[in-house]
Amino acid sequence: MQIISGTAVAEKVLEECRREIAELTAQGRKPGLAVVLVGDDPASRAYVRSKDKKCRDLGLHSVKLELPSTTTQEELLAHVQALNNDPAIHGILVQSPPPKHIDEAAIVRAIDPAKDVDGFHPVNVAKLALEDPTGFVPCTPLGCQRLLIDAGIETSGAHAVVVGRSMIVGKPMALLLMAKGKGGDATVTVTHSRTRDLAAITRTADIIIAAIGRPHFIKAEHVKEGAVVIDVGINRVDDPTTEKGYKLVGDVAYDEVAPKCRAITPVPGGVGPMTIAMLMANTIKACKQA
Ligand code: NDP
């Protein structure tokens, strides 16, 4: 059984990024990423800080905009517009979720698609479906695909079952796996909460992508011998033995599933570190295409 280390692959991706950033900077084209946070949600704040730190670490130009929770839709749109017009900024990300009074879909649509490094703008969603390589693919599924490629998992002709159909993970993941070329060409089944007899379907999978948001949901009974399992889930569960009183677990019951697998990603240290690495890679791509 192979444990696919997202930490190791992310390091590799970030090393490539570091080299490319140095080259672009030497040409006077330093890539720039702006992360916008509205409100004071502690988890979002922590994400934004770690993105900003990673950018600076790699030599990327980083702008961190922390706006109060009272920021209006119009004010936020004005900030996005200013970033759209700023030539030093190649990637814009508005941290989700914004406060309730903000129309998130409208904000996403206001971002210049050429700077939408999250890949959530309708133009980029369409480009993914059209297999247009100039588009931006959401970072988490892009990271999952990179993990499969790096681990030498053959996706061509494989039956991949994606559990979850969100716009952030499940749906783009399915599109990536069914696209032509490396890390694609799979036969894809997408499942969700209305799927009947999920285990019967996942048991036919050569590759399972679990993006459900329920701790330890995928059990041994869901997985056939020799399957590859990518666990996207990040769930907080109470654990009084830890200092914080909780720990992070995936959507897969790792201990019972791993022995059946040809390869599996752990949580933490699997998909998680890939997401931020692919965000850096997308920002460099945006800079090169600018
Ligand atoms: P969503 O809640 O948006 O989507 C969850 C999906 O799982 C839905 O499509 C839902 O179906 C499906 N689902 C829920 N219950 C079941 C069930 N009983 N059987 C089958 N399918 C079910 O979550 P996300 O896609 O945003 O995230 C999924 C997980 O990945 C979460 O744990 C999240 O924390 C994690 N995540 C991790 C990231 C990383 O960097 N590693 C990044 C993003 C997310 P339906 O559509 O019918 O409701």
Side-chain angles (χ1 to χ4, degrees):
M1 194 264 296
Q2 176 190 358
I3 298 173
I4 303 173
S5 167
T7 310
V9 181
E11 261 322 306
K12 218 165 96 180
V13 173
L14 290 172
E15 259 332 293
E16 291 163 15
C17 289
R18 194 186 300 279
R19 213 183 43 240
E20 287 196 85
I21 290 165
E23 277 171 25
L24 287 163
T25 305
Q27 297 163 16
R29 298 163 66 202
K30 189 178 184 126
L33 175 69
V35 180
V36 183
L37 172 70
V38 188
D40 40 24
D41 177 62
S44 296
R45 199 171 275 266
Y47 283 139
V48 169
R49 293 243 161 93
S50 78
K51 281 169 190 161
D52 182 55
K53 184 171 176 296
K54 190 57 78 183
C55 285
R56 288 169 197 279
D57 243 35
L58 294 179
L60 233 130
H61 170 54
S62 174
V63 172
K64 184 172 53 136
L65 219 57
E66 293 184 286
L67 305 172
S69 55
T70 51
T71 306
T72 65
Q73 178 87 5
E74 288 64 35
E75 285 165 343
L76 182 53
L77 284 170
H79 281 291
V80 168
Q81 209 46 56
L83 293 168
N84 281 343
N85 295 332
D86 183 344
I89 295 297
H90 305 95
I92 303 169
L93 182 157
V94 179
Q95 184 64 46
S96 184
K100 290 215 167 33
H101 66 276
I102 299 288
D103 176 355
E104 191 172 10
I107 300 297
V108 168
R109 270 186 247 115
I111 296 173
D112 179 349
K115 297 189 177 189
D116 167 42
V117 285
D118 254 344
F120 297 155
H121 191 286
V123 166
N124 286 314
V125 177
K127 283 187 173 185
L128 174 57
L130 294 165
E131 300 183 30
D132 176 339
T134 66
F136 294 98
V137 177
C139 300
T140 301
L142 191 59
C144 293
Q145 186 188 46
R146 175 72 193 249
L147 284 179
L148 290 170
I149 294 171
D150 227 79
I153 309 296
E154 184 57 86
T155 53
S156 177
H159 182 210
V161 174
V162 180
V163 191
R165 57 176 164 181
S166 73
M167 292 305 297
I168 297 172
V169 192
K171 214 173 273 181
M173 187 76 246
L175 286 167
L176 275 178
L177 286 164
M178 79 167 88
K180 293 190 185 73
K182 204 170 162 188
D185 288 323
T187 304
V188 181
T189 303
V190 181
T191 61
H192 45 79
S193 69
R194 302 295 176 94
T195 297
R196 226 177 289 141
D197 201 356
L198 180 70
I201 296 170
T202 53
R203 271 200 304 273
T204 66
D206 303 306
I207 299 167
I208 297 174
I209 313 281
I212 310 160
R214 289 174 185 242
H216 293 165
F217 184 84
I218 299 291
K219 306 267 195 292
E221 67 181 51
H222 290 89
V223 182
K224 77 172 176 191
E225 285 290 337
V228 174
V229 175
I230 304 291
D231 187 354
V232 183
I234 300 179
N235 308 290
R236 262 189 195 199
V237 294
D238 293 340
D239 183 357
T241 67
T242 64
E243 201 179 304
K244 291 177 179 158
Y246 69 86
K247 62 177 177 179
L248 298 177
V249 302
D251 289 345
V252 176
Y254 186 89
D255 291 345
E256 62 180 86
V257 170
K260 295 183 85 175
C261 292
R262 183 185 142 201
I264 187 166
T265 60
V267 178
V271 176
M274 291 302 291
T275 298
I276 198 160
M278 301 323 285
L279 174 67
M280 302 296 138
N282 273 353
T283 304
I284 293 167
K285 177 178 169 178
C287 173
K288 284 180 174 167
Q289 290 185 170

